[in-house]
Amino acid sequence: MSIHILPLDVINQISAGEVVERPAHLVKELVENSLDAGSTEIHIEVLSGGRGIKISDNGSGIDKNDLVLALTRHATSKIQKTNDLWNLSTFGFRGEALASAAAVSKLNISSINLTSLNLSSQKNKNAWQIRSDFGIFSEILPSSRNQGTEIIIEDLFDNVPARLKFLKSDASENAQIRNVIKAMALSNYNVEFKMVESGQLDLYYPKREYQIDRVREVLNCQKLFTYSANRENYKSTAYFSSPQDVAKTSKNIWIFAQGRWVQDRGLQAAVMEAYRNLLMHGEYPNVFIYLECNPADIDVNIHPTKSQVKFQSPSLAFRAVQASVRDGLETAPWVPKNSNIESAVQKYSVLNYEIPEAKNYTFNDQSFVKTQFQNKDFSLQNNISVQNLSANESVNKSSNQQTYWSSFQIIGQMNLTYLVCQKDDQMILVDQHAAHERVAFEKLMRKWHGGMIDLQNYLFPLAIDMSPEKCEAVLFHKSDIQKMGIEIEQMGPSTLGIKSAPLFIKESSLPRVFEKLANDTIEFGGSFNLEKSISDIFATMACHSVIRAGQSISQAQMQELLISMDEFPLSSFCPHGRPVSIEMTFTEIEKMFGRIN
Ligand code: ADP
Ligand code: MG
């Protein structure tokens, strides 16, 4: 076949395939148009899984003379020149959505433009409509609208059977549409959204004065906290739930960049990273991220549906998002703030207090019993500025003397597992193992950050056997691993020799640690994050080295434990994400006893 330019209808169908792959994409484009037109009320009706869509708004409307252009490909009122692409103030700019929709459906636009000051169009100050039947336009006819624009789409994809085949069930397409409307509602809290599905009101979000109210209703999560962080030009504001308030999927992690809803795996990872060691496997947080930067630092023109963006500096974007969530979480806003009650245990100075080591207790745990070792001050070498920085950060944070945990009045130990405490108007049960695990974990992380891990040098390198592939993967990170205090050398194609390791790691658990490091490096490849792997290892170490459930501890040890809890942020969750304590108010207890109703 010789080369030829494709007929317009084929071109239109090809791009329609990109922009409106499924009904939810079309709904997103239509809602964005209404928002670009300054609407404050947007109502959407959906039929048959989105094969019928009606959207009406109270925006600025379309002039009679522009109706045909509105349906024409690459015709837009939003940008003029290439540079405008780097300074966008609208969602739309491609001039493709309506043309695409018109090519694959029966579409009717009726609109009234009340804002035009153009005298020649004064006489057009009536409502007008135009219809397209799969790309064939009608004449412009009068209509009866008195504000904004209404677009009705019917028989979507009837002329593209191949695309119809790919649509899922109505319920699943509706769910996608609902998601789009939730997203639009999240970033436009001062706009009213209503979605009706097959005649039934499905979503209704009235105009809100404050962002947080909209986030609460869309995430369906009443207890949300907010925190902001900057990394150079990137500013991220996070609304987040406590780690106790979790979802079973990642669906309630909503990320917006410059007001645009984006599907960005990197930023999603930044959120999960911030919750590291606070959630259990399979748990996801409820989070809304609003990331802002200079318009010139973000390219939104890399994907036809604009659902992906490219940042000038993805790592700054990542760090801003991660910091907004992590720093917010570290303030543990869900923990009731310290009341003024002077507590009996406050006589211990938290700052000078040495956290009890597991070996201080007589738990018959052999973790720390070693045959031959030699202590040495281990200091981290070179390129560790980031870690050092965060070490200072966490030290500063922890030096805000808190007395939440230490102000509990300890009543006793229950079932050799829980500390029974009271404070103010509630009873608090503290899981002794989870609490101690958190303290041991934070202590290890802090020591590691500060380069103060005690080492043991082995007289003869310990040999660990693993597959050659794993050996190679671990050796590749030899110098990083050394920063962790583990010195390794290759002893054979499938044998690693360990010359030194942190004192707190049991010799017998080293093979397990290396197995994990090797698996992580292989699984995560380029994005392998030593700190993450280490914190997982520390979490396991902490878990194995502390007080277990079923061990009797003295009143003084209980107090020591609570005091040390105050020294670390985030201390209300163990590193595996289980809560450290649960509370029950006296009112709740009295209700159970039938003293009050
Ligand atoms: P884009 O949004 O990229 O400009 P579209 O195909 O989505 O392209 O829309 C084409 C044009 O139609 C827009 O530039 C805008 O001028 C006009 N338009 C579309 N929908 C509306 C609406 N709801 N209210 C006012 N104008 C609209
Ligand atoms: Mg548009």
Side-chain angles (χ1 to χ4, degrees):
M1 202 190 298
S2 59
I3 301 179
H4 57 278
I5 305 269
L6 288 171
L8 197 60
D9 59 329
V10 181
I11 295 180
N12 280 346
Q13 283 223 8
I14 291 175
S15 11
E18 287 177 354
V19 185
V20 289
E21 199 186 326
R22 59 194 314 170
H25 292 168
L26 182 52
V27 170
K28 175 163 176 281
E29 293 290 336
L30 296 172
V31 172
E32 287 186 344
N33 279 342
S34 296
L35 290 166
D36 283 345
S39 309
T40 55
E41 284 167 23
I42 302 177
H43 296 170
I44 302 114
E45 278 183 58
V46 177
L47 285 173
S48 317
R51 297 197 48 223
I53 300 166
K54 177 160 121 184
I55 174 163
S56 55
D57 67 39
N58 63 350
S60 55
I62 307 174
D63 207 76
K64 178 187 180 189
N65 300 327
D66 285 344
L67 278 175
V68 172
L69 278 177
L71 297 183
T72 306
R73 187 163 308 284
H74 305 310
T76 179
S77 57
K78 299 172 191 175
I79 60 169
Q80 300 217 350
K81 46 188 196 306
T82 325
N83 265 354
D84 296 345
L85 282 175
W86 297 99
N87 197 12
L88 288 169
S89 55
T90 52
F91 289 110
F93 55 88
R94 302 172 65 104
E96 282 188 316
L98 288 187
S100 299
V104 293
S105 70
K106 292 183 184 158
L107 177 149
N108 190 87
I109 309 186
S110 116
S111 191
I112 179 162
N113 178 283
L114 296 168
T115 57
S116 173
L117 293 174
N118 185 343
L119 283 182
S120 67
S121 61
Q122 286 297 320
K123 59 179 183 301
N124 296 334
K125 280 229 158 33
N126 295 312
W128 298 95
Q129 59 182 325
I130 186 169
R131 192 175 166 77
S132 157
D133 270 3
F134 302 104
I136 317 268
F137 297 174
S138 74
E139 299 197 4
I140 293 176
L141 299 167
S143 111
S144 60
R145 257 193 104 62
N146 55 17
Q147 64 165 4
T149 303
E150 178 185 79
I151 298 182
I152 299 177
I153 286 169
E154 292 164 303
D155 300 340
L156 180 65
F157 298 140
D158 252 17
N159 61 337
V160 212
R163 192 152 298 278
L164 271 186
K165 269 211 310 249
F166 282 101
L167 293 189
K168 303 229 170 74
S169 67
D170 284 5
S172 135
E173 295 296 334
N174 285 338
Q176 302 266 352
I177 295 173
R178 202 172 297 128
N179 234 22
V180 161
I181 294 172
K182 285 181 172 181
M184 297 289 131
L186 273 172
S187 61
N188 299 278
Y189 59 90
N190 42 13
V191 175
E192 173 187 293
F193 287 86
K194 193 152 114 184
M195 168 175 168
V196 171
E197 198 272 302
S198 303
Q200 301 261 320
L201 181 65
D202 199 348
L203 295 175
Y204 175 60
Y205 301 122
K207 274 178 224 160
R208 293 291 179 193
E209 201 175 331
Y210 301 106
Q211 173 83 69
I212 188 140
D213 293 326
R214 180 58 62 83
V215 181
R216 279 199 185 110
E217 62 195 343
V218 176
L219 268 59
N220 198 14
C221 196
Q222 279 313 302
K223 273 210 156 157
L224 285 177
F225 311 95
T226 180
Y227 206 87
S228 296
N230 286 40
R231 289 294 179 271
E232 294 182 23
N233 290 332
Y234 293 80
K235 178 184 181 194
S236 168
T237 301
Y239 293 81
F240 56 93
S241 62
S242 103
Q244 221 152 6
D245 201 353
V246 290
K248 291 278 162 257
T249 68
S250 60
K251 278 194 196 134
N252 243 2
I253 302 177
W254 300 85
I255 300 174
F256 293 77
Q258 300 297 83
R260 286 173 199 277
W261 180 35
V262 292
Q263 260 92 59
D264 187 302
R265 297 182 108 225
L267 299 185
Q268 180 112 358
V271 170
M272 290 309 289
E273 186 63 23
Y275 273 89
R276 178 152 47 85
N277 302 118
L278 291 173
L279 300 177
M280 285 198 259
H281 187 67
E283 287 185 342
Y284 297 85
N286 302 296
V287 174
F288 167 77
I289 299 287
Y290 199 82
L291 179 65
E292 292 163 288
C293 60
N294 288 339
D297 288 340
I298 183 171
D299 186 354
V300 296
N301 190 26
I302 59 162
H303 196 262
T305 63
K306 298 167 285 174
S307 60
Q308 282 163 24
V309 294
K310 207 162 113 193
F311 297 100
Q312 182 75 28
S313 167
S315 91
L316 282 176
F318 181 99
R319 282 164 49 206
V321 169
Q322 199 230 15
S324 63
V325 183
R326 188 70 187 181
D327 292 357
L329 286 168
E330 291 206 350
T331 66
W334 54 88
V335 174
K337 286 293 159 263
N338 178 34
S339 68
N340 288 328
I341 304 172
E342 266 275 303
S343 128
V345 287
Q346 267 178 8
K347 60 181 187 289
Y348 293 95
S349 153
V350 171
L351 281 179
N352 298 329
Y353 184 75
E354 220 340 86
I355 307 152
E357 284 274 11
K359 60 187 169 191
N360 291 347
Y361 300 109
T362 46
F363 297 139
N364 306 325
D365 187 317
Q366 294 299 304
S367 333
F368 294 88
V369 181
K370 292 284 180 269
T371 42
Q372 7 155 313
F373 63 80
Q374 151 194 0
N375 279 354
K376 106 174 161 195
D377 236 357
F378 175 71
S379 54
L380 298 173
Q381 294 125 29
N382 306 330
N383 58 39
I384 42 135
S385 47
V386 182
Q387 277 103 326
N388 266 342
L389 219 159
S390 45
N392 291 340
E393 265 174 24
S394 70
V395 169
N396 285 343
K397 261 178 209 134
S398 64
S399 62
N400 293 330
Q401 183 168 340
Q402 286 195 0
T403 53
Y404 173 68
W405 298 94
S406 51
S407 65
F408 290 180
Q409 185 191 342
I410 301 168
I411 295 167
Q413 191 192 20
M414 181 175 81
N415 200 20
L416 296 179
T417 303
Y418 305 104
L419 316 190
V420 184
C421 312
Q422 73 173 21
K423 178 176 161 75
D424 299 339
D425 61 345
Q426 51 187 3
M427 173 186 80
I428 304 130
L429 299 178
V430 179
D431 179 325
Q432 65 189 43
H433 172 72
H436 196 197
E437 189 180 354
R438 162 55 68 184
V439 171
F441 171 76
E442 293 292 348
K443 194 182 171 195
L444 288 175
M445 286 304 279
R446 185 189 281 184
K447 278 193 159 182
W448 180 65
H449 278 143
M452 296 184 310
I453 301 243
D454 294 332
L455 295 189
Q456 55 183 323
N457 288 329
Y458 301 108
L459 292 184
F460 304 104
L462 296 176
I464 292 188
D465 292 324
M466 47 173 55
S467 73
E469 188 205 7
K470 287 186 178 172
C471 250
E472 199 181 315
V474 172
L475 282 166
F476 185 77
H477 292 279
K478 187 174 167 181
S479 60
D480 281 338
I481 290 171
Q482 190 161 1
K483 291 184 203 143
M484 215 180 131
I486 305 185
E487 230 181 310
I488 49 174
E489 62 178 10
Q490 185 156 23
M491 289 174 71
S494 57
T495 314
L496 282 178
I498 301 183
K499 298 204 287 192
S500 70
L503 189 52
F504 65 84
I505 301 185
K506 258 200 273 190
E507 230 172 88
S508 60
S509 56
L510 277 169
R512 216 164 15 103
V513 168
F514 273 89
E515 189 69 19
K516 176 165 168 34
L517 268 179
N519 289 340
D520 284 0
T521 37
I522 290 167
E523 187 183 341
F524 301 114
S527 60
F528 169 69
N529 179 335
L530 185 74
E531 172 145 4
K532 177 168 171 8
S533 302
I534 286 176
S535 84
D536 289 348
I537 292 170
F538 283 176
T540 314
M541 294 301 133
C543 177
H544 291 303
S545 66
V546 300
I547 334 172
R548 313 238 125 241
Q551 287 179 338
S552 149
I553 53 177
S554 70
Q555 185 85 6
Q557 286 172 325
M558 291 189 225
Q559 268 177 3
E560 280 176 358
L561 182 57
L562 292 180
I563 291 168
S564 53
M565 287 287 285
D566 275 329
E567 199 177 340
F568 296 100
L570 301 175
S571 50
S572 52
F573 287 84
C574 82
H576 294 110
R578 283 194 304 114
V580 163
S581 68
I582 54 171
E583 298 96 36
M584 197 180 268
T585 62
F586 295 155
T587 316
E588 281 165 338
I589 294 174
E590 285 181 2
K591 272 191 192 150
M592 287 185 219
F593 280 110
R595 284 174 174 272
I596 54 174
N597 293 319

